[in-house]
Amino acid sequence: MTVAGRISVLFMSAAIVMGLVASFAAATREYTIRLDQVLESSRAGLLSRPDLQIHIYNRDTLRLEKILAGFLEPGGVSAAAIFSGLGELLARRDGPAPATAGGASFAALRSELLATESRLLTPDASGKEIGQGLVTSLLHSDAPMYLSMPIFSVVNQAQRGLQPEDFARALAAPDDREIQHVIGYLHVVIDRSLLLRDTAPAVRRIMLGGLVFALLLGGLAWFLARRITEPLKKLAELADEVASGRLEKPMEIEGSGEVEEIARVLNGMLGGFHNHIKERDVDRHLLSMKVEERSSQLTARSEELDRAVETVTETRNQLQHLANYDSLTNLPNRRLFTEQLDMALRLNRRNKHILALLFIDLDDFKRINDSLGLNAGDQLLKEVAGRLATCLRESDLVAHFETPQQDIGISRLGGDEFTVILNQVEGIDAARQVAQRVIDELSSPVPVDGHDIVVKTSVGVALAPADGDDVESLLKAASTAKYHAKRSSAGRLEFYDRDMGSAGAERIKLESELRKALARDELVLHYQPQVDTLSGSVVGAEALLRWEHPELGLLQPGKFIVLAEEAGIIAEIGEWVLLEACRQLTAFDALEVQLPRVSINVSAVEFDSGFVQRVRTALQETGVSPERLELGLTEAIMFDNDADALQAMQELREIGVYLSVDDFGTGYSPLGYLSRYPLNEMKIDRSFVLDSEKSENGARLITAIIAMARSLDLRILAAGVESEKQVVFLTEQGAHILQGYLFSKPVPAEELKVMLAPWHFIDQVQKIMQSAGQTATERFLESNS
């Protein structure tokens, strides 16, 4: 930069700085004046309204809101509120502009103030005072300021029956004004952004004047500097041209005598250099041509070699990647995982450290693949791989180091199975924290093809060297723990225990015996009655599967249903349950025992393309009327919004079969399916019934579910009723079809027969209702009136 330029820049910079300083000072002054005007207006407004004490005493909300409108007139006020002396909100009025805050509570604002103290409070979101200056308002424009002012009364508000005349007399008596009482508080919410907006026009005018001043000063400085430095500049250019040999003719320079003398000397030297420069240019040109020729030849050879090396390297990397990485998720595959786990085990064995192996499996992945397609399954696996990578710390090293500096990440063994290696863990607690973090991360819905899929994850954990000191034994231990996690009702995380090995052998044996249980007639149905509390009669019964094991005794479904699903015989067992329940209805009819309806549960695995035909066949073989058969469909059947599932349900309804949604609210289906699918009944899950007795929110949830079912014209059945309070509450809310241990546990058909007599439970229901102030007989008469 030239001397003239530097002088101009210096003067202009000084002018800009002075303009900025002046602008900031003016902005601060304008902002302070505006804030003081708002504060004085609010204080004056409060003093001008002695009738506030009367309206606060009378708690006249409408008049208070009307008065508050006057406090919103000054610019910068976004809201105003009046509180009682105890901090209760009596009235609030918001301005036309949306309030940026107002969320600070009365107690938080006045916690450190005296009852009679009036102050402007400037808390931030955490409650810390941040000040009221311009800089603070610019940095925290969304943090409002609060002007908290006590409202005094000359009358003691503790007195009862006061009239407006009492306050008027007290105000007119000068002696009585010496003693005043705080009857309430006025809070004025001042919006910093509105104050800044009102201050902006004056600031812009000042900044514009400063800018004009800076430009004028800079132009003057540039003109003077140019007059002084222009001859020197031309002289310097002449010297540069001479030194570089580029000057071909003399240069004329106007200036003082010394400058002109120097110019003449330089112009004289110029003639002696011309011949030398011409000879040097010719030699340099010839040399440059030779160098360029050789350089181009070397460059071509170098580029050819670089391309060859790049091709070989790229091919080698591709082959290595294909051999060691999963093509879908780009994670290390089983081969690479096995190599690195072996290396990690040897390193931990030498250093006497603990290593943890996490075996991760996605539940119901096959169902998602079958219902939404392979492409959706691939998308789900990619998303799971990405989430695993983000939720693990860098120290949670997994699977493989191709080079000492490269962190490979998570491994995919195949299908929906992933592994994580935790190096040098402190113990079980550290591994548990990481595993739980994985479960929590994968539990949030995954958007796939317009569906929000909730992935349930099972994680098995094995520690080395305690559970295995080689790849095969440690991987087997983690896989065994993962299997137990999938079957566990307590959670989805299990650590390997040596007893799990023997449990695995028992599982194989039990699975083999389950395959023979149908042929041996070891499966039986127990029935739990569904009671109408308005009549005391049984209006239906739920058929529940049991296994009469010759050695283990009567087994609950939780012991063998998962085995049946994994063994692929759940559809065969479901068909037997369907036929057996219909046969039992026929048997009751033959004995002239009336069971209006029997309900069986249907899982998503059973609800396939042939399910409707199996129902038709069972009804035809047994002669049971379709409306006496109730199918309890799990939410998983309706989860995918599958057109085939909807078509199957419509066919069942056309047949006359009664459809209900089983254990409503415990799955992960959207509420929209209630209106899309042709359902007859909603079954409220036992967990909701228990919560209704424990908490007010639980009771409100039950009430909301019942109201929703009524609006959709669905019959309501509440399951898991175990206490008299639950009976009273549910009946009063309109859910009078109840099922639970309070009436009966699931019993064989022979024991159920006794309960099918008309009004069998009338005495029990009547006693329950009498304790609540209304008898069951009255309810029965009301329902039939």
Side-chain angles (χ1 to χ4, degrees):
M1 182 182 293
T2 63
V3 175
R6 286 195 292 270
I7 294 175
S8 300
V9 170
L10 179 61
F11 276 93
M12 291 186 69
S13 299
I16 292 173
V17 170
M18 287 190 295
L20 290 175
V21 171
S23 299
F24 179 79
T28 302
R29 180 176 175 276
E30 289 291 331
Y31 176 85
T32 304
I33 291 173
R34 184 60 188 151
L35 177 59
D36 290 341
Q37 289 174 350
V38 173
L39 297 178
E40 288 303 320
S41 176
S42 299
R43 294 188 181 107
L46 177 60
L47 294 176
S48 67
R49 300 306 303 232
D51 55 335
L52 270 177
Q53 53 186 302
I54 301 173
H55 302 321
I56 292 175
Y57 177 81
N58 292 328
R59 292 179 176 266
D60 192 341
T61 302
L62 292 178
R63 291 183 178 273
L64 290 174
E65 289 180 350
K66 202 171 199 180
I67 293 172
L68 287 176
F71 290 92
L72 299 176
E73 293 177 358
V77 177
S78 61
I82 292 179
F83 298 82
S84 69
L86 299 178
E88 177 186 2
L89 178 62
L90 300 179
R92 177 186 174 95
R93 190 72 176 260
D94 293 319
T100 58
S105 67
F106 176 89
L109 289 173
R110 293 203 62 90
S111 60
E112 298 181 4
L113 301 182
L114 298 177
T116 60
E117 186 177 356
S118 175
R119 184 185 297 179
L120 178 64
L121 304 168
T122 59
D124 61 4
S126 64
K128 181 181 177 181
E129 287 289 327
I130 58 176
Q132 63 192 47
L134 176 60
V135 175
T136 303
S137 296
L138 290 172
L139 296 177
H140 303 277
S141 61
D142 58 339
M145 296 182 285
Y146 303 85
L147 176 59
S148 178
M149 299 178 289
I151 302 173
F152 295 98
S153 172
V154 295
V155 178
N156 186 356
Q157 66 269 24
Q159 301 178 27
R160 297 183 177 275
L162 293 175
Q163 299 298 325
E165 294 78 10
D166 298 326
F167 288 87
R169 285 194 297 272
L171 288 170
D175 296 337
D176 293 341
R177 295 188 182 182
E178 296 179 359
I179 301 176
Q180 295 187 348
H181 307 272
V182 176
I183 193 171
Y185 295 89
L186 171 63
H187 281 191
V188 178
V189 183
I190 301 172
D191 194 328
R192 295 176 188 265
S193 61
L194 295 179
L195 286 176
L196 293 173
R197 184 192 65 189
D198 294 342
T199 309
V203 175
R204 283 196 294 268
R205 290 194 298 270
I206 295 172
M207 291 184 68
L208 181 60
L211 179 60
V212 171
F213 173 74
L215 292 175
L216 291 176
L217 186 60
L220 179 61
W222 178 82
F223 177 75
L224 294 176
R226 185 174 180 83
R227 287 290 303 272
I228 298 172
T229 59
E230 185 64 23
L232 295 176
K233 175 184 176 183
K234 290 185 177 181
L235 185 60
E237 292 176 355
L238 175 60
D240 290 339
E241 294 290 337
V242 172
S244 61
R246 294 193 302 270
L247 190 62
E248 297 181 355
K249 62 181 181 178
M251 179 179 294
E252 296 181 0
I253 299 176
E254 295 181 358
S256 62
E258 293 84 357
V259 174
E260 292 182 351
E261 183 65 27
I262 295 174
R264 282 195 295 272
V265 172
L266 292 176
N267 286 328
M269 296 171 59
L270 178 62
F273 289 138
H274 282 324
N275 294 335
H276 173 73
I277 291 173
K278 289 180 180 179
E279 295 175 358
R280 184 197 63 185
D281 288 344
V282 172
D283 294 340
R284 180 180 295 175
H285 180 67
L286 294 174
L287 178 61
S288 177
M289 292 175 60
K290 291 291 184 180
V291 171
E292 287 179 1
E293 182 182 358
R294 295 298 183 187
S295 297
S296 61
Q297 293 174 354
L298 293 174
T299 300
R301 286 296 179 88
S302 178
E303 290 176 354
E304 292 176 359
L305 291 174
D306 289 343
R307 285 195 294 270
V309 170
E310 183 178 350
T311 302
V312 172
T313 303
E314 183 178 350
T315 303
R316 183 194 65 185
N317 292 339
Q318 289 177 351
L319 293 174
Q320 188 174 11
H321 192 275
L322 290 173
N324 294 308
Y325 289 85
D326 174 53
S327 59
L328 176 63
T329 62
N330 207 32
L331 294 177
N333 57 18
R334 180 182 290 270
R335 176 180 176 275
L336 188 56
F337 159 75
T338 303
E339 292 178 359
Q340 197 56 34
L341 178 59
D342 180 65
M343 180 188 299
L345 285 171
R346 284 190 273 111
L347 290 174
N348 279 273
R349 188 184 307 121
R350 183 179 64 185
N351 298 324
K352 297 182 180 180
H353 291 153
I354 299 176
L355 180 144
L357 176 62
L358 276 59
F359 200 113
I360 304 168
D361 182 84
L362 308 181
D363 300 344
D364 294 335
F365 177 73
K366 182 178 183 300
R367 179 180 63 82
I368 296 171
N369 244 354
D370 294 341
S371 59
L372 299 182
L374 297 178
N375 185 52
D378 291 346
Q379 292 182 43
L380 177 61
L381 290 175
K382 291 180 181 178
E383 178 65 21
V384 168
R387 292 191 179 187
L388 285 174
T390 58
C391 76
L392 294 174
R393 302 187 306 269
E394 293 182 359
S395 58
D396 301 331
L397 173 61
V398 280
H400 184 70
F401 278 114
E402 184 176 326
T403 66
Q405 293 79 24
Q406 184 180 5
D407 185 357
I408 296 301
I410 300 94
S411 296
R412 180 189 176 206
L413 298 189
D416 59 346
E417 294 179 338
F418 298 84
T419 56
V420 177
I421 300 173
L422 305 181
N423 258 323
Q424 301 181 17
V425 295
E426 297 179 359
I428 290 179
D429 291 339
R432 187 186 305 277
Q433 290 179 1
V434 176
Q436 190 59 51
R437 193 161 71 243
V438 168
I439 293 174
D440 294 341
E441 179 69 22
L442 298 182
S443 63
S444 57
V446 179
V448 175
D449 287 346
H451 302 270
D452 287 336
I453 300 176
V454 177
V455 180
K456 293 185 177 179
T457 308
S458 299
V459 180
V461 184
L463 302 178
D467 302 330
D469 59 356
D470 57 62
V471 173
E472 182 178 355
S473 61
L474 189 63
L475 188 59
K476 180 180 178 182
S479 177
T480 302
K482 180 266 300 179
Y483 167 76
H484 281 267
K486 293 189 70 169
R487 297 194 59 199
S488 173
S489 61
R492 292 176 284 165
L493 171 62
E494 289 288 343
F495 281 78
Y496 177 74
D497 187 284
R498 296 195 180 276
D499 293 338
M500 292 180 178
S502 58
E506 293 176 1
R507 170 184 172 276
I508 296 175
K509 178 183 177 183
L510 195 64
E511 181 180 324
S512 175
E513 293 174 345
L514 179 59
R515 293 181 180 275
K516 304 174 185 177
L518 277 173
R520 295 175 179 174
D521 292 329
E522 294 176 358
L523 298 181
V524 297
L525 291 180
H526 284 193
Y527 300 86
Q528 189 171 33
Q530 298 168 346
V531 180
D532 186 350
T533 57
L534 299 181
S535 64
S537 299
V538 175
V539 296
E542 182 178 7
L544 300 168
L545 183 62
R546 301 290 186 268
W547 180 9
E548 289 183 335
H549 194 279
E551 298 177 2
L552 303 177
L554 191 66
L555 299 181
Q556 300 289 331
K559 296 288 186 180
F560 60 88
I561 286 298
V562 176
L563 278 178
E565 292 178 348
E566 294 177 353
I569 59 175
I570 187 64
E572 185 179 354
I573 292 176
E575 185 175 1
W576 178 88
V577 171
L578 175 63
L579 283 170
E580 182 61 22
C582 293
R583 290 192 194 105
Q584 188 58 58
L585 277 177
T586 305
F588 280 145
D589 291 344
L591 297 174
E592 297 183 351
V593 176
Q594 182 62 29
L595 175 59
R597 184 181 291 116
V598 66
S599 170
I600 64 173
N601 296 323
V602 181
S603 69
V605 179
E606 299 174 68
F607 202 80
D608 54 19
S609 57
F611 179 74
V612 176
Q613 185 56 44
R614 292 198 294 272
V615 173
R616 292 180 189 271
T617 302
L619 294 174
Q620 291 171 358
E621 289 182 0
T622 58
V624 172
S625 178
E627 62 269 11
R628 298 179 65 190
L629 175 62
E630 177 180 344
L631 301 179
L633 308 177
T634 62
E635 287 188 311
I637 294 176
M638 293 165 273
F639 162 67
D640 299 319
N641 193 19
D642 188 6
D644 294 337
L646 177 60
Q647 178 64 30
M649 291 185 200
Q650 290 174 342
E651 291 181 15
L652 290 171
R653 282 295 302 274
E654 291 172 1
I655 295 172
V657 176
Y658 197 81
L659 301 180
S660 68
V661 54
D662 191 41
D663 298 337
F664 170 75
T666 60
Y668 38 77
S669 297
L671 290 176
Y673 74 80
L674 292 176
S675 61
R676 289 194 298 270
Y677 291 98
L679 301 172
N680 300 96
E681 179 182 271
M682 178 190 295
K683 186 174 182 181
I684 302 176
D685 185 62
R686 174 177 177 270
S687 61
F688 293 131
V689 175
L690 293 177
D691 287 342
S692 69
E693 192 174 12
K694 295 178 181 178
S695 68
E696 183 177 349
N697 287 337
R700 290 176 179 171
L701 183 58
I702 287 286
T703 303
I705 292 174
I706 293 173
M708 179 174 60
R710 283 178 172 175
S711 67
L712 295 172
D713 198 21
L714 298 178
R715 194 180 82 158
I716 306 162
L717 170 66
V721 178
E722 299 177 359
S723 71
E724 295 180 358
K725 290 183 179 179
Q726 294 170 359
V727 173
V728 174
F729 171 73
L730 290 167
T731 303
E732 289 178 348
Q733 298 304 316
H736 54 85
I737 308 298
L738 308 181
Q739 174 184 339
Y741 273 71
L742 181 66
F743 297 107
S744 173
K745 66 179 182 179
V747 296
E750 190 65 27
E751 296 182 27
L752 177 67
K753 183 170 63 176
V754 180
M755 305 178 195
L756 298 181
W759 309 301
H760 175 79
F761 291 97
I762 187 65
D763 291 337
Q764 182 181 359
V765 174
Q766 192 172 34
K767 290 178 182 179
I768 294 173
M769 293 304 176
Q770 283 176 345
S771 65
Q774 184 178 11
T775 66
T777 303
E778 291 171 343
R779 290 179 176 271
F780 177 73
L781 293 175
E782 291 175 1
S783 66
N784 291 277
S785 61

